[in-house]
Amino acid sequence: MNALGDAHLRSWTLRFMALLAADTEDQLAWLGERELETESVVEEAELLCRVSEGLTERGVFEPGNLRDLQAIGRRLGEIDAACRAEHWANALATDPTWDEIRALARRLLLTTLGDWRQPVPRPARPHTNDR
């Protein structure tokens, strides 16, 4: 991949990890009225964790960052199908796994950026059929 693509993937990975690292209240505020399924969050984060291996090979992430991202990916992979099917807002409130993922994401951001408190990505606008 080219340097611009690697920089974009690194930036997106860190922004998404900032969302996972945020306090529950901030995550719920980010969700707003959207009913985002946990499965979507898990799939996006798992993809970013897998892509980070190639980014580390190209020097975009440090090996320690990769270990943290792999730990996040493993923990996400342990979330069972029933929990993945519910809305993320419900999962945040009831599943302690998200506290563990939050701690891992904070450790990653702390070692990578020096502080886990980072701006969360802007929420995507819901798709409409209007043109």
Side-chain angles (χ1 to χ4, degrees):
M1 183 162 284
N2 64 36
L4 183 58
D6 283 354
H8 175 75
L9 285 171
R10 180 182 193 278
S11 176
W12 177 240
T13 299
L14 294 175
R15 282 195 318 261
F16 202 83
M17 291 303 135
L19 176 61
L20 296 181
D23 291 327
T24 304
E25 299 79 25
D26 294 330
Q27 291 169 328
L28 293 171
W30 180 86
L31 279 167
E33 298 298 317
R34 285 182 306 284
E35 294 182 348
L36 182 64
E37 289 185 11
T38 301
E39 180 71 20
S40 297
V41 175
V42 170
E43 286 177 354
E44 184 75 17
E46 285 179 323
L47 174 64
L48 292 170
C49 291
R50 285 191 307 273
V51 167
S52 67
E53 292 178 23
L55 293 173
T56 302
E57 290 172 4
R58 293 189 294 280
V60 176
F61 281 117
E62 298 294 323
N65 302 139
L66 178 60
R67 283 190 293 279
D68 288 339
L69 285 159
Q70 288 172 328
I72 292 166
R74 279 191 302 276
R75 194 63 190 105
L76 288 163
E78 295 169 358
I79 297 174
D80 66 38
C83 292
R84 287 177 185 232
E86 67 183 351
H87 295 294
W88 194 39
N90 296 340
L92 287 170
T94 61
D95 188 349
T97 301
W98 291 102
D99 293 331
E100 297 169 34
I101 293 167
R102 185 175 296 108
L104 291 168
R106 286 178 179 183
R107 182 175 72 193
L108 168 72
L109 293 170
L110 183 62
T111 60
T112 306
L113 302 175
D115 191 352
W116 67 265
R117 291 172 209 84
Q118 301 294 319
V120 297
R122 287 188 313 208
R125 294 186 186 140
H127 293 302
T128 63
N129 292 330
D130 299 339
R131 289 188 183 242

